[in-house]
Amino acid sequence: MLRIYSVTIELLRRLRPIIEKIGGKDANLADQLRRAATSVPLNLHEGAYSQGRNERARWHTAMGSAAEVRACLDVAEALGYVEPVDDGLRDALDHIIATLHRLARR
């Protein structure tokens, strides 16, 4: 199993209270953030057990979902639903995206 998988699960744990807070203001945005965030480890794990183009496709999907998580957080901040997100959370997200980018290019 890829080591980045545990980082994606920890990201979900850290996002949970943010998703709940956003949900009190905008249920649709909270749902989109939750779906994008859960897509990252699910597609990462599926890609780890795929081969060839399917493997890369899952990693591209996971990478796109991670970028969508970032965008959802930006929107939530811009709309005043949440305070600026912790830099450590954004760093973890950037680490995930960079790792997925490297995996998808193999």
Side-chain angles (χ1 to χ4, degrees):
M1 173 43 47
L2 298 167
R3 285 180 280 169
I4 195 69
Y5 179 78
S6 63
V7 177
T8 66
I9 296 299
E10 181 58 28
L11 178 73
L12 277 175
R13 286 188 183 99
R14 294 176 68 187
L15 285 171
R16 187 177 65 208
I18 298 169
I19 294 169
E20 290 170 358
K21 187 168 187 175
I22 294 169
K25 306 249 185 194
D26 187 333
N28 290 325
L29 182 59
D31 184 57
Q32 186 158 355
L33 174 54
R34 181 193 52 76
R35 286 182 291 110
T38 57
S39 173
V40 178
L42 294 174
N43 278 289
L44 177 65
H45 207 310
E46 186 175 351
Y49 292 95
S50 298
Q51 294 179 351
R53 288 185 302 195
N54 288 334
E55 178 183 51
R56 283 191 296 282
R58 296 297 77 71
W59 289 337
H60 275 286
T61 300
M63 185 171 44
S65 293
E68 185 177 0
V69 167
R70 186 186 312 164
C72 287
L73 293 173
D74 291 343
V75 168
E77 287 178 7
L79 294 174
Y81 296 161
V82 295
E83 294 298 317
V85 176
D86 169 281
D87 286 340
L89 185 93
R90 288 196 181 271
D91 289 346
L93 200 47
D94 289 344
H95 173 63
I96 291 166
I97 291 168
T99 301
L100 288 165
H101 186 264
R102 283 191 302 277
L103 287 170
R105 291 181 54 125
R106 289 204 241 176

